[in-house]
């Protein structure tokens, strides 16, 4: 299914009416168009395959940890359609020298996050995509995020963070190797 900007503009207009606003008021005239453009951007991952982000794979004589920390991301909670945002930390242990570009790890996180989402699903999808596409010895993904559905509504606890992890391959069994990666993630935080 493709993005239907016209239908979304109509829906936003209906929301404005439903909350008691006048969508023809000067300040709201272009709001449906702006919201439609924003949604097209923040949900752009719906029409992308995360595996495509790892198309650039190189052979390099490196079989030690590769870690990109503090990858910022923004997503939308699929339960409330309000934002959650934070940082992703992505590590993998290459096998047979198969590595990918560092920017590809950030693009992978962004693609997976840009859809109605759960933090747990982002974490697992990034880890599974890496382990499958790179055939890595192991993968660890840690995500820290603040959820507006907890901060600005409901329980109203701004500043609380949710941390999720996904551990794949050798890191599931090797406690020392796993702790090495988590130690690198914690450094400078």
């Amino acid at each position: 299914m493709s993005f239907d900007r016209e239908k979304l503009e109509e829906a936003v207009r209906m929301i404005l009416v439903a909350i008691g606003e006048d969508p023809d008021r000067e300040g709201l005239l272009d709001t449906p168009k702006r919201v439609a453009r924003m949604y097209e951007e923040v949900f752009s991952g719906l029409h992308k395959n995360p595996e495509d982000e790892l198309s650039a794979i190189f052979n390099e004589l490196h079989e030690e940890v590769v870690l990109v920390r503090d990858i910022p991301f923004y997503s939308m909670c699929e339960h409330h359609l309000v934002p959650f945002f934070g940082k992703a930390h992505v590590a993998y242990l290459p096998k047979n020298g198969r590595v990918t570009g560092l920017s590809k790890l950030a693009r992978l996180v962004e693609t997976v996050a840009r859809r109605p989402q759960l933090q747990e699903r982002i974490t697992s999808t990034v880890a599974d995509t890496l382990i499958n596409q790179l055939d890595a010895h192991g993968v660890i993904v840690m995500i820290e995020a603040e959820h507006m559905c907890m901060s600005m509504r409901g329980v109203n606890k701004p500043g609380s963070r949710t941390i999720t992890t996904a551990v794949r391959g050798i890191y599931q069994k090797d406690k020392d190797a796993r702790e090495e990666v988590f130690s690198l993630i914690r450094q400078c935080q």
Side-chain angles (χ1 to χ4, degrees):
M1 185 183 296
S2 63
F3 193 84
D4 188 336
R5 189 179 290 171
E6 190 174 299
K7 189 178 278 187
L8 186 52
E9 288 177 24
E10 180 182 322
V12 171
R13 188 171 172 77
M14 290 171 62
I15 289 171
L16 291 171
V17 170
I19 65 170
E21 262 292 359
D22 174 8
D24 295 319
R25 182 168 61 81
E26 181 182 3
L28 295 175
L29 279 174
D30 290 330
T31 296
K33 285 183 171 85
R34 286 191 292 266
V35 172
R37 283 192 310 269
M38 177 202 56
Y39 272 34
E40 190 169 19
E41 180 180 341
V42 300
F43 294 132
S44 63
L46 280 168
H47 307 291
K48 292 181 181 177
N49 181 346
E51 293 176 354
D52 293 344
E53 300 301 347
L54 299 178
S55 59
I57 296 175
F58 310 100
N59 292 308
E60 187 61 40
L61 295 176
H62 184 81
E63 296 206 10
E64 300 295 328
V65 175
V66 175
L67 167 65
V68 177
R69 283 187 355 185
D70 301 326
I71 301 168
F73 77 92
Y74 300 89
S75 193
M76 294 286 259
C77 165
E78 71 179 32
H79 297 145
H80 303 99
L81 289 182
V82 294
F84 66 97
F85 58 93
K87 302 181 282 187
H89 314 288
V90 179
Y92 71 97
L93 190 60
K95 184 194 295 182
N96 299 323
R98 287 175 53 90
V99 298
T100 190
L102 300 176
S103 68
K104 302 302 182 189
L105 300 177
R107 288 184 192 278
L108 173 60
V109 169
E110 182 174 302
T111 294
V112 174
R114 287 186 176 251
R115 51 184 74 183
Q117 203 47 285
L118 297 174
Q119 180 174 331
E120 297 89 339
R121 188 180 307 125
I122 295 172
T123 311
S124 295
T125 302
V126 170
D128 292 340
T129 302
L130 276 168
I131 201 83
N132 293 334
Q133 291 299 107
L134 295 181
D135 189 31
H137 285 297
V139 169
I140 292 180
V141 177
M142 176 188 278
I143 294 184
E144 306 172 55
E146 182 171 350
H147 294 250
M148 292 294 98
C149 57
M150 281 184 56
S151 297
M152 66 183 272
R153 58 153 308 278
V155 72
N156 288 299
K157 296 298 177 204
S160 54
R161 293 183 315 167
T162 300
I163 297 175
T164 53
T165 61
V167 178
R168 304 289 187 267
I170 193 171
Y171 293 124
Q172 292 174 308
K173 298 175 187 144
D174 188 333
K175 180 182 175 188
D176 292 335
R178 183 173 59 245
E179 184 50 40
E180 175 191 8
V181 173
F182 284 127
S183 174
L184 289 169
I185 291 170
R186 285 189 298 268
Q187 284 181 4
C188 301
Q189 286 191 337

